């Protein structure tokens, strides 16, 4: 029974790491989107072409998150 608990604890730790990494990456994507859309931050300081390039990269990141819901922690951190 103790061995089962240790096994589950390790699996829980891995799952938590994966979830934390995904949440961190997702938070970064939305934070960047808000930063480039805020006139007080970067919106008025970047060229429209640069904003478009960043938006495309952020959209690709969101699509990757959707398509790779089963990715492991290292993939999210990468």
């Amino acid at each position: 029974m103790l061995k089962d608990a240790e096994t589950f604890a390790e699996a829980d730790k891995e799952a938590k790491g994966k979830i934390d990494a995904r949440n961190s990456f997702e938070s970064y994507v939305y934070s960047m989107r808000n930063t480039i859309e805020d006139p007080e931050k970067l919106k008025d300081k970047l060229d429209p072409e640069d904003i478009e390039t960043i938006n495309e990269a952020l959209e690709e990141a969101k699509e990757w998150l959707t398509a790779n819901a089963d990715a492991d922690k290292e993939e999210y951190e990468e």
Side-chain angles (χ1 to χ4, degrees), residues 55-73:
N55 274 328
E56 288 172 5
L58 294 172
E59 189 60 35
E60 287 177 24
K62 283 176 33 182
E63 289 172 4
W64 186 89
L65 277 166
T66 301
N68 294 285
D70 61 341
D72 60 21
K73 177 183 175 186

Side-chain angles (χ1 to χ4, degrees), residues 2-36:
L2 183 59
K3 186 168 178 97
D4 289 342
E6 291 173 355
T7 302
F8 292 130
E10 184 63 31
D12 289 347
K13 183 179 175 182
E14 288 178 22
K16 181 182 182 330
K18 176 182 171 179
I19 291 167
D20 288 346
R22 179 182 172 85
N23 288 344
S24 178
F25 182 45
E26 191 171 29
S27 176
Y28 174 76
V29 169
Y30 287 105
S31 175
M32 283 300 300
R33 182 169 308 267
N34 290 338
T35 299
I36 65 168

